[in-house]
Amino acid sequence: HKFAEMIGLKGIFVDSPDQIRSAWKEALAEKRPVVLEVKTDPDVPPLPPHIKLQQARNFMSSMVKGDPDTLGMAEQSARQMLSRWMPAETD
């Protein structure tokens, strides 16, 4: 985000989940390009919005092959997928 600001773009840094909504609103309201830098949990692997069964199998297979934090990542991934069907209450 700081580099974006150095070259004349809007830079927004987010390091807390409760800042996401306001950061997106701010970014979408801008008239110039925006770099949204979001500090994420390294134990939460990013999942595509429409993950296919084979992709999920491949993902789980790769985790079982030696990652010491497989259980933590599986738990966070499950939470991420469940949040799509049971979203948290919004303002």
Side-chain angles (χ1 to χ4, degrees):
H1 81 282
K2 290 195 181 267
F3 180 75
E5 292 171 349
M6 286 173 43
I7 62 171
L9 306 176
K10 173 72 176 182
I12 302 171
F13 179 73
V14 175
D15 63 354
S16 173
D18 59 329
Q19 297 172 325
I20 294 286
R21 179 185 300 255
S22 62
W24 270 114
K25 285 182 179 181
E26 183 181 349
L28 294 172
E30 277 293 320
K31 300 282 188 225
R32 59 186 170 156
V34 176
V35 172
L36 186 59
E37 180 180 352
V38 180
K39 185 175 179 182
T40 61
D41 185 340
D43 292 332
V44 180
L47 297 174
H50 302 290
I51 191 167
K52 296 183 173 134
L53 182 57
Q54 188 59 46
Q55 291 171 316
R57 285 183 183 147
N58 293 343
F59 171 71
M60 293 306 292
S61 173
S62 68
M63 284 193 349
V64 174
K65 293 181 180 177
D67 193 311
D69 194 30
T70 297
L71 183 59
M73 286 194 325
E75 180 183 323
Q76 293 296 334
S77 296
R79 282 187 187 160
Q80 185 181 5
M81 288 192 296
L82 286 174
S83 71
R84 293 185 184 139
W85 293 297
M86 300 181 324
E89 291 185 28
T90 58
D91 302 343

